[in-house]
Amino acid sequence: MNKPFDIKTGHSACPHDCPSTCALDVEIIDGTKIGRVRGAKDNSYTAGVVCAKVARYAERVHHPDRLLKPVKRAGRKGAGEWQDITWDDALDEIAEAFLKAEAKHGSEAVWPYYYAGTMGLVQRDSINRLRHAKRYSGFFGSICVHPAWTGFAAGTGAIKGPDPREMAKSDCIVIWGTNPVSTQVNVMTHVIKARKTRGAKIVAIDIYHNDTMKQADMALCLKPGTDGALACAVMHVLFRDGYADWNYLNKFSDKPRELESHLQSRTPEWAAAITGLKTAEIEAFARLVGETDRSYFRLGYGFTRSRNGTTNMHAASCIATVKGAWQYEGGGAFHGNSAIYHLDQSRIEGDDLCDANIRHLEQTRIGTGEKDALFGGPPVTAMLVQNTNPASIAPDQTKVLEGLAREDLFLAVHEQFMTETAMFADIVLPATMFVEHDDIYRGGGHQYIIPGPKLIDGPPLCRSNHCVIEELAKRLGVADLPGFGNTARALIEDMLQSSNYGSLIEMEQDKWHDCQPSFEEAHYLNGFNWPDGKFRFKADPENLGLQGDVAAAPAFPDHWDVTDKASEEFPFRLTTSPSRSFLNSTFNNIKSSIAKERQPTVMIHHEDAAILKIGNGDSVRLVNGQGAVTLCAKLSDAMQRGVVIAEGIWPNTAYPDGKGINTLTNSQPIAPHGGAAFHDTCVRVERATT
């Protein structure tokens, strides 16, 4: 009984949908369990820091409610009635259902549906190998990144920027549309270092006074969807007051004189009326940027989740170019680093098997059966879902649930827990977690490739995503095609070798590989990623996408007034912001996370609540044309009047009516390249009747 535990340290990366992709040191207890999870101290970005929810990851791996065996539906969909089934029988039934759907409607009737429950390149993306091999419907994964990526690339031509570690060498860090204290803790590691060592000023721009705003020297709390107006006013001041770097602009930008002329009327007074900020606040922010060469703009996803999100991202990124901040260490604009890695994933994803004529269905429209959503093709009658929980996180939840409940839809879900989506499945398969299989990761918010080797055995009947894809390939007659028949480690090895990154063993010995480009490349000092090498102030819609009202989008940075309009019937603008203890629907079943978040709430301004006769803790309903959601009022003055904030994606069952917050969000893709307007919803707030 007194025998000490044998504790060793394994090395991995956080697998979840977060730009931090933290390098991890994981306690392995007696070779069978994990203990404390820590950020790797010798990784220069993670720098020994990890968020609290990942530090407690043992709660998730060893959770008593974890799925441990395959089950088959025994009652109506969603009723939660199951019977045991063997792995072989489960896989046989899935393959039979897919072949049946294909025989009746063609291969596009099958839709493999996945996303970022793991960011591992093998366990996440191997599903595409099966999709290509069988010519199943494609997957347009637009729910998260497209408005942001499209807006950033509209100017730079690529998703990359200054080394994020350079934030520690900045004199002004502008944290815009992200709450890293809660969602990307490593950003704050480098920001606070700049404050302590350089006296750097921290500017936070968001729609409510969240934990990051509380740490800022200058906190700008604006109305949702008005970021483009703020950016234009800042650039107006830079031009007006002589802060614009004309030598840089003439060399590195496309139409600086036209931009200056366009912004003549975009004054701080004009922006104040749109954003709800004070004119003096806008002037002060612009002056700070104008007087600070080393201004680093850390641009997040949050402010792009509006119908004008792409335009807003482009406008914000333009400020660094007008100022010429890209020239300086600790200066420029950064959103992500996906363009720096050049990884050859063709064997993992089966690119050689891809048929370009196969339709790509939009992730955000999973609940719709309209002809335009199906692109005129057959209905979807069979699905495999991995790494996502659309019954909770997808917009227009009522339609999603109605679609998943269709009796003519065969649904297989491969999951770690009995999620809302799994409840609608015909077959549920138990999945491994990141410490129980081999994988590899790349950072979005940094520059590292990090191996994630298997550290412990998973429960006996849990299998990896890659394993399920391989077994289905055998049953569906495509196992002899290129890419199949390999272990996860073999696929990783192939990718690294073909991408000139050496061997997997070497990378595991080093624990990671730093892919940071040279200063000149990262700061675009050799030219931006366009044929003429110039930053684009004038965005070309044809280079951005073909969805929504592309023609109406402004070419130059502007406030594009296309957001959901408040009305007498629906006077409040709702945003569904991330919570500190959940990551989308991940961690929302973990006891320690639930204890910190307590219950679903909606933040309402004190003055709005007084008019509505709503008190703190009262039960309220949010209502719009799509439905109603009941939650608890949390009175606050953290945001402007007319704005309500619901933090976190709780399980649907946590709401009194069983309807999650995405009952209220809209699934229509936003211009110009798709995405969901999660922060662009108008609602009515009323006291809930008992």
Side-chain angles (χ1 to χ4, degrees):
M1 291 178 64
N2 297 319
K3 180 182 176 182
F5 290 119
D6 177 18
I7 300 178
K8 297 180 180 178
T9 300
H11 306 293
S12 190
C14 178
H16 289 291
D17 189 10
C18 167
S20 288
T21 320
C22 295
L24 302 179
D25 291 337
V26 182
E27 287 184 348
I28 305 171
I29 302 172
D30 289 340
T32 60
K33 295 183 178 181
I34 70 165
R36 190 72 177 176
V37 177
R38 298 178 173 86
K41 290 184 178 180
D42 50 346
N43 181 280
S44 61
Y45 184 77
T46 302
V49 178
V50 72
C51 70
K53 51 187 173 285
V54 172
R56 302 187 301 265
Y57 212 90
E59 285 187 71
R60 182 173 174 84
V61 173
H62 306 299
H63 197 290
D65 294 338
R66 188 170 170 185
L67 292 174
L68 299 176
K69 57 186 177 182
V71 292
K72 177 181 178 180
R73 177 166 66 96
R76 63 175 178 82
K77 284 195 171 186
E81 298 173 4
W82 309 100
Q83 64 186 46
D84 293 350
I85 187 173
T86 68
W87 263 101
D88 282 340
D89 288 346
L91 292 165
D92 288 346
E93 289 200 21
I94 295 170
E96 182 181 348
F98 284 12
L99 292 170
K100 181 179 178 181
E102 181 179 354
K104 185 174 182 179
H105 296 291
S107 64
E108 290 180 329
V110 182
W111 191 19
Y113 189 100
Y114 71 105
Y115 205 53
T118 176
M119 297 291 281
L121 302 184
V122 173
Q123 305 298 343
R124 182 189 64 192
D125 297 334
S126 286
I127 195 171
N128 288 320
R129 188 166 69 253
L130 182 67
R131 175 169 68 83
H132 292 325
K134 289 295 298 179
R135 290 166 172 74
Y136 293 150
S137 279
F139 182 79
F140 186 53
S142 59
I143 202 165
C144 179
V145 302
H146 284 203
W149 286 15
T150 305
F152 193 86
T156 61
I159 308 300
K160 63 180 182 180
D163 188 334
R165 295 168 296 194
E166 286 183 30
M167 286 185 286
K169 301 178 181 180
S170 298
D171 295 321
C172 173
I173 304 102
V174 182
I175 302 171
W176 198 329
T178 181
N179 180 15
V181 169
S182 294
T183 62
Q184 293 181 57
V185 64
N186 305 98
V187 169
M188 298 308 296
T189 298
H190 303 282
V191 170
I192 297 302
K193 183 178 180 181
R195 171 186 272 170
K196 289 180 177 179
T197 61
R198 303 182 60 85
K201 298 299 183 183
I202 302 172
V203 181
I205 305 172
D206 217 308
I207 58 171
Y208 69 118
H209 286 274
N210 52 42
D211 289 340
T212 302
M213 294 273 273
K214 293 172 184 176
Q215 292 203 21
D217 299 291
M218 181 181 293
L220 302 179
C221 180
L222 70 173
K223 294 177 181 177
T226 64
D227 307 79
L230 173 60
C232 287
V234 170
M235 289 186 285
H236 170 96
V237 173
L238 296 180
F239 282 117
R240 182 196 71 191
D241 293 352
Y243 293 121
D245 187 333
W246 281 103
N247 289 330
Y248 181 85
L249 286 167
N250 288 329
K251 182 178 180 180
F252 285 104
S253 69
D254 62 339
K255 298 181 183 298
R257 293 294 178 185
E258 289 185 37
L259 176 66
E260 181 186 30
S261 177
H262 167 72
L263 294 174
Q264 286 290 321
S265 62
R266 274 61 171 179
T267 64
E269 293 79 10
W270 166 83
I274 295 170
T275 63
L277 296 171
K278 296 177 181 178
T279 300
E281 291 181 290
I282 299 173
E283 291 274 5
F285 173 41
R287 186 167 55 252
L288 175 62
V289 172
E291 294 174 352
T292 310
D293 289 336
R294 295 190 181 208
S295 291
Y296 193 107
F297 289 78
R298 182 61 177 86
L299 305 175
Y301 287 96
F303 74 107
T304 72
R305 293 193 170 118
S306 293
R307 288 167 175 80
N308 58 5
T310 295
T311 297
N312 291 342
M313 172 62 86
H314 178 229
S317 72
C318 289
I319 300 174
T321 306
V322 172
K323 172 59 185 169
W326 299 96
Q327 302 168 86
Y328 307 103
E329 186 177 34
F334 181 87
H335 172 65
N337 250 345
S338 61
I340 73 172
Y341 295 105
H342 311 295
L343 287 166
D344 179 8
Q345 293 182 237
S346 59
R347 186 63 62 91
I348 293 172
E349 299 200 45
D351 290 348
D352 293 344
L353 307 173
C354 180
D355 183 345
N357 295 315
I358 297 297
R359 67 181 179 182
H360 276 66
L361 299 178
E362 177 114 23
Q363 177 188 17
T364 57
R365 302 189 71 188
I366 181 175
T368 63
E370 292 93 339
K371 288 185 178 179
D372 67 320
L374 295 170
F375 295 96
V380 172
T381 60
M383 294 179 69
L384 169 64
V385 174
Q386 289 184 325
N387 308 324
T388 188
N389 181 18
S392 179
I393 63 95
D396 204 351
Q397 185 179 107
T398 300
K399 286 187 177 179
V400 174
L401 298 181
E402 289 173 353
L404 294 176
R406 285 169 33 210
E407 286 295 337
D408 68 329
L409 172 69
F410 176 87
L411 178 64
V413 175
H414 187 201
E415 254 295 356
Q416 297 161 349
F417 295 95
M418 188 59 72
T419 64
E420 292 91 343
T421 305
M423 287 290 289
F424 284 90
D426 296 279
I427 299 284
V428 180
L429 304 173
T432 49
M433 295 194 187
F434 81 102
V435 290
E436 300 163 351
H437 54 235
D438 292 305
D439 215 332
I440 193 165
Y441 308 86
R442 65 179 193 184
H446 59 72
Q447 59 287 307
Y448 283 102
I449 297 173
I450 307 176
K454 179 180 176 181
L455 301 179
I456 62 172
D457 289 331
L461 293 180
C462 291
R463 297 188 184 179
S464 71
N465 294 351
H466 169 69
C467 175
V468 168
I469 297 305
E470 287 289 314
E471 290 298 319
L472 286 176
K474 295 174 184 176
R475 290 162 170 81
L476 292 166
V478 294
D480 293 333
L481 294 179
F484 294 102
N486 294 291
T487 65
R489 290 186 67 84
L491 289 171
I492 296 168
E493 185 74 48
D494 175 85
M495 178 186 71
L496 292 176
Q497 295 279 2
S498 62
S499 305
N500 297 315
Y501 281 117
S503 71
L504 175 57
I505 290 178
E506 291 171 338
M507 192 174 288
E508 287 177 337
Q509 290 172 343
D510 295 335
K511 296 194 288 188
W512 45 70
H513 182 81
D514 189 338
C515 300
Q516 180 59 40
S518 68
F519 178 87
E520 289 76 17
E521 182 181 347
H523 286 253
Y524 297 98
L525 297 185
N526 298 321
F528 289 89
N529 199 43
W530 297 107
D532 60 2
K534 296 192 173 186
F535 184 95
R536 293 285 191 265
F537 287 131
K538 187 174 184 180
D540 183 355
E542 292 187 3
N543 288 327
L544 301 182
L546 299 172
Q547 292 186 322
D549 194 1
V550 177
F556 283 104
D558 214 335
H559 170 61
W560 190 21
D561 189 15
V562 293
T563 57
D564 197 11
K565 296 293 186 296
S567 64
E568 185 175 349
E569 184 179 11
F570 305 121
F572 290 93
R573 176 72 174 266
L574 166 69
T575 69
T576 54
S577 302
S579 65
R580 188 164 188 166
S581 301
F582 302 158
L583 202 169
N584 300 321
S585 68
T586 304
F587 299 104
N588 69 12
N589 65 331
I590 303 301
K591 183 179 293 186
S592 60
S593 293
I594 295 170
K596 291 179 179 296
E597 300 298 330
R598 299 185 64 182
Q599 63 180 329
T601 62
V602 59
M603 298 168 64
I604 306 173
H605 196 281
H606 284 99
E607 294 180 31
D608 291 328
I611 293 172
L612 296 169
K613 294 181 172 53
I614 291 171
N616 197 49
D618 284 352
S619 182
V620 298
R621 281 170 28 105
L622 307 183
V623 184
N624 66 7
Q626 293 185 183
V629 174
T630 303
L631 24 59
C632 180
K634 182 179 180 180
L635 272 53
S636 172
D637 58 1
M639 58 283 179
Q640 295 194 30
R641 289 194 60 187
V643 177
V644 292
I645 312 284
E647 288 187 324
I649 299 179
W650 285 82
N652 298 344
T653 54
Y655 297 83
D657 298 332
K659 296 177 181 179
I661 196 65
N662 280 311
T663 300
L664 303 170
T665 53
N666 190 282
S667 66
Q668 288 298 315
I670 59 180
H673 201 46
F678 284 114
H679 299 346
D680 192 350
T681 302
C682 286
V683 298
R684 179 172 70 250
V685 181
E686 59 190 29
R687 289 177 61 91
T689 56
T690 57

